[in-house]
Amino acid sequence: MPHQRYDRTAWHTLQPDAVLTPAQRQAVYAVAPEVPSGDVEAVYLPLAALVEPHIARQSRTFIIGIAGGVSAGKTTVARILQALLTVWAGVPTVQILSTDGFIHPTATLEARGLMHRKGFPESYDTAAFFDVIQAVHAGEACEAPIYSHATYDRLPDARLAIDGPDVLIVEGINVLQATPEQANGIRPFLDLSIYVDASEEALFTWFMHRFRRLLAAARHNPAGYLYPFTTLSEADADARAAHVWATVNLPNLRAHIQPTRAVAELIIKKSAAHRVHTCSVRTNGPWHLYVHP
C-alpha cells in the first residue's frame, strides 16, 4: 500500500501553530528522557495536534495501535503520545495497553514447546486480546493481563482495568497482525494505526542496549529471569543475547512484523539514536484525508 512521505520539516508544517509551553515540554520529555531533543516538537506534537480533533468528536474510546519490531521504541512513542494528549491537548484519560500481557504464561509456552517461539503469533492468546479490544470498542469495562520483563512472564495476580478511557493506546509487535480468529486482527477497531520503523541493524543495536540495561537491573533481583545471566562474562552474555536476536527476533521481524508496516496509516521511520527521519501517511487511507482535508 503506497504512503506519502514527509521529512521532519514538511511534517512539522502540517501543524505549525502547535507549541509547547516550557512546563509542558518538561513534562513530556520527563516520560521519555531518551528521546532525541527536538523530536517531540517536530514529530509527535504535530501528530497529537492532528489526532486531538478526532478524539474530541468521537463519543467512544479512540483506539490507537502502535506496532514495530522488538526495541523499536513503541512504548516510548506511546508514552510521548499519552503525555502530549493529556498535558498539551487536555484529554482527560489516556491509557496504554501492551500486548506483551497476552503472551501465554511461561508454563503454557513450556508445555507447548513454544519458548523458542516467544513473540511469534502462536505464542499469544489472540482470542483474549481480540475480546479486550472488542470490549473497549463497544464501551464495555474489561481487564487485561500484565507482563513483567523482570520475571519474563505474566504477573499472575495483576490486571489492568480498562473502563471507558477517552483514548487507549495499544502497543506491541503484533498489533497489526492477522489472528486465527480474525483475518484483519484488531485493525478494524483502530482509529489510527502506527508502525515504528527502523533498519534491522538499528533494531539489533537497540535490542543489545536494552538487554544490557535489563541485565544490570537483574543483578539486584535474584528472583528475576535474567539473574542467571549475571554470572556470565560480558562477552558471553552478549553472545547469548545476539543468538536470541538471530534465531528468534530477526526471523519474527521478517516473517510477521515487517509485513504489517504496509497496512499502517502512519509509518514513523527512525534513524540512528531513535531520531525520527520521516513520517509517511498511507495514501488510500482515511488519515491521508485528515492530513490534507
Side-chain angles (χ1 to χ4, degrees):
M1 296 181 182
H3 287 75
Q4 181 173 347
R5 183 177 301 176
Y6 301 82
D7 63 21
R8 292 167 62 92
T9 300
W11 182 255
H12 180 262
T13 57
L14 294 175
Q15 293 289 323
D17 297 329
V19 178
L20 293 171
T21 67
Q24 290 171 338
R25 185 181 190 278
Q26 183 178 10
V28 174
Y29 274 97
V31 305
E34 70 278 13
V35 70
S37 179
D39 268 21
V40 168
E41 294 85 348
V43 178
Y44 301 110
L45 181 58
L47 175 57
L50 287 167
V51 170
E52 190 277 331
H54 302 286
I55 297 171
R57 286 197 293 266
Q58 189 158 283
S59 59
R60 60 166 178 80
T61 297
F62 191 94
I63 306 177
I64 300 172
I66 303 178
V70 173
S71 301
K74 301 177 295 297
T75 302
T76 298
V77 173
R79 289 173 179 165
I80 293 171
L81 281 180
Q82 181 186 45
L84 284 170
L85 291 174
T86 55
V87 172
W88 176 79
V91 177
T93 54
V94 181
Q95 279 189 281
I96 296 174
L97 171 65
S98 172
T99 66
D100 288 349
F102 294 93
I103 296 175
H104 286 295
T106 296
T108 301
L109 295 177
E110 289 175 342
R112 298 180 181 179
L114 291 175
M115 280 299 291
H116 68 294
R117 301 278 290 179
K118 194 167 186 177
F120 280 72
E122 61 267 32
S123 68
Y124 287 88
D125 186 347
T126 54
F129 177 43
F130 184 85
D131 286 347
V132 166
I133 300 303
Q134 188 176 42
V136 173
H137 189 269
E140 301 169 358
C142 58
E143 292 184 339
I146 299 173
Y147 186 84
S148 168
H149 286 281
T151 63
Y152 204 57
D153 201 354
R154 280 190 195 181
L155 294 174
D157 301 317
R159 306 283 289 181
L160 175 69
I162 307 172
D163 189 4
D166 296 287
V167 178
L168 180 69
I169 303 174
V170 188
E171 61 91 6
I173 61 176
N174 62 328
V175 163
L176 301 180
Q177 292 177 14
T179 69
E181 297 79 18
Q182 299 291 332
N184 292 316
I186 68 162
R187 295 202 305 267
F189 299 106
L190 299 178
D191 297 290
L192 172 62
S193 57
I194 300 171
Y195 187 94
V196 183
D197 194 22
S199 70
E200 292 179 359
E201 294 76 15
L203 291 173
F204 172 66
T205 298
W206 300 338
F207 170 77
M208 293 299 295
H209 287 167
R210 188 178 73 171
F211 169 77
R212 291 164 188 153
R213 289 198 303 270
L214 291 172
L215 190 63
R219 299 182 192 282
H220 308 289
N221 181 18
Y225 176 80
L226 288 179
Y227 185 76
F229 290 82
T230 64
T231 64
L232 301 175
S233 68
E234 182 177 330
D236 286 344
D238 278 356
R240 293 279 191 95
H243 178 74
V244 170
W245 174 265
T247 60
V248 180
N249 293 337
L250 184 58
N252 192 23
L253 175 71
R254 290 172 173 173
H256 302 291
I257 304 171
Q258 281 181 342
T260 68
R261 176 176 53 195
V263 301
E265 292 286 347
L266 173 66
I267 300 172
I268 296 175
K269 177 70 173 181
K270 292 183 175 183
S271 54
H274 287 277
R275 184 173 176 81
V276 175
H277 181 59
T278 60
C279 292
S280 301
V281 179
R282 185 156 61 90
T283 55
N284 60 348
W287 276 91
H288 189 258
L289 298 178
Y290 298 155
V291 169
H292 296 285

